[in-house]
Amino acid sequence: MQAEIITIGDEILIGQVIDSNSAYIAKKLNSIGIEVVQIQSISDKEQDILSALAAAQNRVPLVIMTGGLGPTKDDITKHCFCTYFEDELVHNPDVLAHIEKLFAQYVKVPINDLNREQAMLPSKAKLLDNPFGTAAGMWMKKGKTVFVSMPGVPYEMKHMMEQQLLPKLKQHFQRPAIVHKTMLTYGWGESRIAEVISDWEAALPDHIKLAYLPNLGRVRLRLTAKGNDEKILTAEVDALFENLYPLIGEIITGFESDQPIEAQIGHLLNDQNMSISTAESCTGGRIGAALSSIPGASSYFVGGVVPYQTSLKTKILEVPASLIKAHSVVSAEVALAMAEGACRQFSSDYGLATTGNAGPQKGDSDADVGTVYIALVGPGVRHVEHFNFGNHREKTIQKSVNKALEITLKLLERKVKKHLPIH
Amino acid sequence: MQAEIITIGDEILIGQVIDSNSAYIAKKLNSIGIEVVQIQSISDKEQDILSALAAAQNRVPLVIMTGGLGPTKDDITKHCFCTYFEDELVHNPDVLAHIEKLFAQYVKVPINDLNREQAMLPSKAKLLDNPFGTAAGMWMKKGKTVFVSMPGVPYEMKHMMEQQLLPKLKQHFQRPAIVHKTMLTYGWGESRIAEVISDWEAALPDHIKLAYLPNLGRVRLRLTAKGNDEKILTAEVDALFENLYPLIGEIITGFESDQPIEAQIGHLLNDQNMSISTAESCTGGRIGAALSSIPGASSYFVGGVVPYQTSLKTKILEVPASLIKAHSVVSAEVALAMAEGACRQFSSDYGLATTGNAGPQKGDSDADVGTVYIALVGPGVRHVEHFNFGNHREKTIQKSVNKALEITLKLLERKVKKHLPIH
């Protein structure tokens, strides 16, 4: 069962907007066994849209489109649908009532003709509700292909996809099972891994495919299995990954979860009834931002401090000036003292700290650009690690955030699962 | 002059990775007058790649590809090139020397056969250097179409694009001028704007196109002009925007800059020799993270604190408990006191603070979910604004960050340009 995604809008083609909708849609389709074979971004010109629809109809039984549903002149998706499906726009009173309600509640101005026009929809379309916006989604069929159009505003589209489209797709299409699982490794390059696991890779069965995903010091190994029975596929993939431990166990840090790592950390802290605070120098607050992006984070994330300038590490976190002088501000000792200072100042159980030099110039320390220390302290934990993430500022910051969250997750997991199998 | 972008890799099609490379490439191509008419993501299967190349060759004179250049078996772009261009791989000693140097410097293990294999490249390809990685870029021609292949790792691709590909494209292709300029508005929906400016919009000349880009409470209005002379186009666009001030002047907040807003704030602070610190509650540190993402930020960003739990606002920022009790923690008074506390604790000139309730549950205050106060204090400035950003957590956080940076930029600009024209 294959599908294509078409996103409509010049903002993507001129690079003003990154198309994050497609990744979200692709992931959701994959989760119900629908394989995305192409993603396409096209301009909002009628001819381009009609050509794309016709071409896609020849290839796949399902086409998901986003964009071009707004009230303004540059939004032409529904007019293109009318042309393509030989249909006409008709007034939909339910949609109009919904638009009026939204305006009364949030916008607090009366609706105008352009808003009213959004209640004019192709007569053959089955509609998908949009509780967060004024543009309804559409489901239409031509030949053997289903075309779905959703709004381009990400949170409107996501809600529509999850609440309405996915259940409808499950009902409408027979789908095989697809299982993806991704192993995380840290420390080796992809070529070294590939060399060490080459026999294992060569012996993979035809229905299971391996991909190497290198990024920022990590290489992720993804197995994708296709077949009829999800349980059997999952067992096959698990068994294959199990066989990697004797080969590259030292670099395996875990598996990619559907949950972001900051949510996994949150669950573990909640389970232990523990709290965490952050003291971030080179990461500038991004770790705190990640932790607090999770709903309910205030039950375990107490707060954080970004003592970006050296003197503040002493003033706010009580890191002794003598310690900074003796070891330099970018050092294991200062990282630990920052983490301990955070615990004290924020009255938290755990303290997570970063200090480093992301460049481009050397700062208040002699440490090489790219040098970063990450420390986690807490009940039974006093851990610090040293890294050099190279001379690319943004890379160094993001690697530091990733690594700090990884270290935290790993140490918290160890505490919970004391009898983890040792590979 | 038109181009297409093709990104290769299953990681995009299964939604594991968001394709941010295409937006970057599209923006850069636009900046030199090359219009991107399609962006396509396809799988790393040979047949799909060859079909995409052939189809694109029929449509455009330039095809930019990324991905599929790694050392492992799932990377097949150069093999596809050999098939498509009827070419063969030959050993390139310069590339091998570069790979060996990179490994000696960063990886510190000897290279293996897979790395050596990366120095085997199509004989007809002109190469593009990749100082940050092992995969060289390729430039090949078939018929009238130039095909360029670059690595998919974003920082490797970006460096190659800027340092090598753009100059080469400028030399090779005759290009018209394209000018994009985007006006920022805040406060009205797109339908209301469209109604008010409808006469203006209807009178736009054929070579200038308007797009509405609504997102998170802001509507951006983009004009795109195509022609021969960049100066004339720029003047036309500027004149058209000027005519919008009498119509919607009250909601115009400025123009989108090539520089991110946090960099613009940095420049203004540096110019004034002033510093800033942050005290973030509902935004969880994202404002500090944004400010510190700019190289050289330590010259004006002193630091920040995330007193996520209420008691910390008193402990760390010295917000009087009585003030919190009298006005609640989500209030204009507390936002101002937090900003003042940040100035004091961090010894900064300006203090920027947020306090609010992003939901999903009400927190330590009775404020409605979505309520946010943003305060900026500093020399001659004591400003606080109240917002309700609705009941979507991620939206509320991101809108708060955007708005806080906007307020800061606007107030800093006012200080600099005291004689701004009043529209």
Side-chain angles (χ1 to χ4, degrees):
Chain A
M1 166 73 201
Q2 296 190 324
E4 293 189 15
I5 299 171
I6 301 176
T7 61
I8 297 171
D10 286 350
E11 60 274 22
I12 294 169
L13 294 177
I14 68 167
Q16 193 165 28
V17 165
I18 290 171
D19 172 24
S20 60
N21 282 347
S22 294
Y24 175 86
I25 295 169
K27 201 171 203 166
K28 290 290 172 188
L29 292 178
N30 260 274
S31 74
I32 60 166
I34 297 175
E35 182 189 7
V36 175
V37 292
Q38 182 168 290
I39 298 171
Q40 220 181 338
S41 296
I42 58 174
S43 102
D44 37 28
K45 294 196 191 84
E46 183 171 14
Q47 204 40 60
D48 290 356
I49 296 174
L50 294 175
S51 311
L53 294 180
Q57 192 190 327
N58 282 329
R59 289 186 296 245
V60 286
L62 174 65
V63 179
I64 309 274
M65 302 159 65
T66 61
L69 297 185
T72 53
K73 282 186 192 159
D74 54 329
D75 291 303
I76 60 168
T77 300
K78 70 184 179 186
H79 301 289
C80 293
F81 263 32
C82 285
T83 308
Y84 190 70
F85 294 100
E86 295 167 21
D87 198 1
E88 55 180 2
L89 298 178
V90 293
H91 174 71
N92 187 306
D94 294 341
V95 171
L96 184 64
H98 168 66
I99 294 171
E100 281 175 336
K101 201 179 135 205
L102 274 184
F103 266 69
Q105 203 172 346
Y106 293 110
V107 192
K108 296 183 173 116
V109 295
I111 70 169
N112 66 20
D113 285 348
L114 290 172
N115 305 124
R116 248 168 241 121
E117 170 69 20
Q118 287 201 283
M120 296 291 292
L121 291 156
S123 73
K124 297 177 188 167
K126 292 183 204 162
L127 299 187
L128 303 167
D129 296 339
N130 181 1
F132 291 129
T134 54
M138 296 177 278
W139 169 296
M140 297 184 86
K141 200 169 174 182
K142 188 165 184 174
K144 287 182 178 165
T145 299
V146 169
F147 293 81
V148 175
S149 162
M150 293 193 289
V153 178
Y155 65 92
E156 297 180 15
M157 179 279 291
K158 286 180 185 174
H159 193 273
M160 188 179 286
M161 178 102 196
E162 268 173 56
Q163 299 297 314
Q164 298 183 67
L165 184 56
L166 284 178
K168 222 169 146 69
L169 290 173
K170 278 187 201 168
Q171 212 175 20
H172 193 273
F173 289 103
Q174 287 238 326
R175 297 148 290 116
I178 303 180
V179 169
H180 302 286
K181 190 168 178 178
T182 302
M183 179 178 257
L184 310 172
T185 74
Y186 189 89
W188 291 5
E190 55 177 328
S191 55
R192 184 164 171 204
I193 297 174
E195 191 182 26
V196 172
I197 69 173
S198 61
D199 290 346
W200 174 92
E201 182 175 355
L204 288 176
D206 279 348
H207 68 292
I208 301 186
K209 206 178 152 189
L210 172 72
Y212 294 82
L213 305 163
N215 195 28
L216 297 177
R218 296 193 281 199
V219 176
R220 295 178 296 166
L221 302 175
R222 187 190 64 232
L223 286 179
T224 299
K226 281 179 211 167
N228 294 315
D229 187 321
E230 192 179 325
K231 271 191 193 160
I232 294 174
L233 294 176
T234 303
E236 284 183 293
V237 165
D238 285 344
L240 283 165
F241 273 131
E242 198 61 29
N243 293 336
L244 283 181
Y245 280 91
L247 300 172
I248 55 167
E250 65 193 280
I251 59 165
I252 295 170
T253 60
F255 289 91
E256 194 161 86
S257 163
D258 279 344
Q259 287 190 327
I261 189 165
E262 47 270 28
Q264 298 174 58
I265 290 171
H267 284 300
L268 287 171
L269 288 168
N270 267 340
D271 289 349
Q272 300 176 41
N273 201 18
M274 292 276 178
S275 62
I276 193 166
S277 64
T278 53
E280 305 181 57
S281 190
C282 60
T283 49
R286 289 199 205 182
I287 298 170
L291 290 172
S292 64
S293 68
I294 305 301
S298 60
S299 69
Y300 53 84
F301 176 57
V302 186
V305 64
V306 183
Y308 211 61
Q309 288 186 354
T310 299
S311 62
L312 291 166
K313 295 186 174 72
T314 301
K315 188 174 173 196
I316 311 254
L317 291 169
E318 299 173 343
V319 177
S322 57
L323 192 81
I324 296 176
K325 207 174 161 195
H327 299 282
S328 112
V329 69
V330 177
S331 63
E333 290 78 7
V334 169
L336 283 167
M338 286 172 65
E340 283 160 351
C343 283
R344 231 175 12 247
Q345 293 297 327
F346 288 87
S347 311
S348 65
D349 299 303
Y350 289 94
L352 175 60
T354 60
T355 180
N357 182 0
Q361 276 91 40
K362 285 192 181 189
D364 288 350
S365 110
D366 282 339
D368 284 345
V369 169
T371 304
V372 176
Y373 289 86
I374 299 171
L376 182 77
V377 301
V381 178
R382 196 168 187 276
H383 182 89
V384 62
E385 280 187 56
H386 167 244
F387 302 92
N388 190 310
F389 291 132
N391 63 357
H392 189 290
R393 180 180 174 83
E394 181 56 32
K395 241 174 88 182
T396 296
I397 297 175
Q398 200 48 53
K399 279 184 178 180
S400 303
V401 173
N402 291 348
K403 200 64 203 165
L405 293 173
E406 263 176 47
I407 289 172
T408 305
L409 181 65
K410 216 167 166 178
L411 292 175
L412 288 175
E413 273 177 341
R414 260 195 218 157
K415 260 188 93 78
V416 181
K417 304 175 197 164
K418 284 202 175 140
H419 302 291
L420 267 185
I422 292 158
H423 293 286
Chain B
M1 167 73 202
Q2 297 189 324
E4 294 189 14
I5 299 171
I6 300 176
T7 60
I8 296 169
D10 287 348
E11 59 274 22
I12 294 170
L13 294 176
I14 68 167
Q16 193 165 28
V17 164
I18 291 172
D19 172 26
S20 60
N21 282 347
S22 293
Y24 176 86
I25 295 169
K27 201 169 204 167
K28 290 290 173 188
L29 292 178
N30 259 275
S31 75
I32 60 166
I34 297 176
E35 181 190 6
V36 175
V37 291
Q38 182 169 293
I39 298 170
Q40 219 180 337
S41 296
I42 58 174
S43 101
D44 37 26
K45 292 196 192 83
E46 182 170 16
Q47 202 42 58
D48 290 356
I49 297 173
L50 294 176
S51 310
L53 294 179
Q57 193 191 328
N58 282 329
R59 290 185 298 244
V60 287
L62 174 64
V63 179
I64 310 275
M65 303 159 65
T66 60
L69 296 184
T72 52
K73 281 186 193 160
D74 54 328
D75 292 303
I76 60 169
T77 300
K78 70 183 180 187
H79 300 289
C80 293
F81 263 32
C82 284
T83 307
Y84 190 71
F85 295 98
E86 295 166 19
D87 198 1
E88 55 179 2
L89 299 178
V90 294
H91 174 72
N92 186 308
D94 294 341
V95 172
L96 183 65
H98 169 64
I99 295 171
E100 280 175 338
K101 200 179 137 205
L102 274 184
F103 265 70
Q105 202 170 348
Y106 293 110
V107 192
K108 296 184 173 116
V109 296
I111 70 169
N112 65 21
D113 285 348
L114 291 171
N115 305 124
R116 248 168 244 123
E117 170 69 21
Q118 287 202 281
M120 295 291 291
L121 292 156
S123 74
K124 297 176 187 167
K126 290 181 203 165
L127 299 188
L128 303 167
D129 295 339
N130 181 1
F132 292 129
T134 54
M138 297 177 278
W139 168 297
M140 297 183 88
K141 201 169 175 183
K142 187 164 184 175
K144 286 180 176 169
T145 299
V146 169
F147 294 82
V148 175
S149 162
M150 292 192 289
V153 178
Y155 65 92
E156 295 181 16
M157 180 279 291
K158 287 180 185 174
H159 194 271
M160 189 179 285
M161 177 103 197
E162 267 175 56
Q163 299 298 314
Q164 297 184 68
L165 184 55
L166 284 178
K168 220 168 146 71
L169 291 172
K170 279 187 201 168
Q171 210 175 22
H172 194 270
F173 290 103
Q174 286 239 326
R175 296 147 291 116
I178 304 180
V179 169
H180 301 285
K181 190 167 178 178
T182 302
M183 178 178 258
L184 309 173
T185 76
Y186 188 90
W188 293 3
E190 56 177 328
S191 55
R192 185 163 171 205
I193 298 174
E195 192 181 24
V196 173
I197 69 172
S198 61
D199 290 346
W200 175 92
E201 183 175 355
L204 288 176
D206 280 349
H207 67 292
I208 301 187
K209 204 178 155 190
L210 172 71
Y212 294 82
L213 305 164
N215 194 28
L216 297 178
R218 295 192 282 198
V219 176
R220 294 178 296 166
L221 302 175
R222 186 190 65 231
L223 286 178
T224 300
K226 282 178 210 168
N228 294 315
D229 187 320
E230 190 179 326
K231 270 190 193 159
I232 294 174
L233 294 175
T234 303
E236 284 182 293
V237 165
D238 284 343
L240 284 165
F241 273 131
E242 197 61 29
N243 293 336
L244 283 182
Y245 280 92
L247 301 172
I248 54 168
E250 65 194 280
I251 59 164
I252 296 170
T253 60
F255 288 92
E256 195 162 85
S257 163
D258 279 344
Q259 286 191 325
I261 189 164
E262 48 270 28
Q264 297 175 58
I265 291 171
H267 283 303
L268 286 171
L269 288 168
N270 267 340
D271 288 348
Q272 300 175 42
N273 201 18
M274 293 275 179
S275 62
I276 194 167
S277 65
T278 53
E280 304 181 57
S281 189
C282 61
T283 49
R286 290 199 206 182
I287 298 171
L291 290 172
S292 63
S293 68
I294 305 300
S298 60
S299 69
Y300 53 84
F301 177 57
V302 187
V305 64
V306 184
Y308 211 61
Q309 288 185 354
T310 299
S311 62
L312 291 166
K313 294 184 175 71
T314 302
K315 186 172 175 199
I316 310 255
L317 289 169
E318 299 173 346
V319 178
S322 57
L323 192 82
I324 296 176
K325 206 176 164 194
H327 300 282
S328 111
V329 69
V330 177
S331 64
E333 291 78 4
V334 169
L336 283 167
M338 286 171 65
E340 284 161 349
C343 282
R344 233 176 9 249
Q345 292 296 329
F346 288 88
S347 311
S348 66
D349 299 303
Y350 289 93
L352 176 59
T354 60
T355 179
N357 183 358
Q361 276 92 41
K362 284 190 181 191
D364 288 350
S365 111
D366 282 338
D368 285 343
V369 169
T371 304
V372 176
Y373 290 87
I374 299 171
L376 182 76
V377 302
V381 178
R382 195 169 186 276
H383 181 90
V384 63
E385 280 188 56
H386 167 243
F387 301 91
N388 189 308
F389 291 132
N391 62 358
H392 188 290
R393 180 180 174 85
E394 180 57 30
K395 241 172 89 184
T396 296
I397 297 175
Q398 200 48 52
K399 279 184 177 180
S400 304
V401 173
N402 291 348
K403 201 62 204 167
L405 294 173
E406 261 175 48
I407 289 172
T408 305
L409 181 64
K410 217 167 165 178
L411 292 175
L412 289 175
E413 274 177 342
R414 259 194 220 159
K415 262 189 91 81
V416 181
K417 303 174 197 164
K418 282 200 177 139
H419 304 290
L420 268 185
I422 293 160
H423 292 286

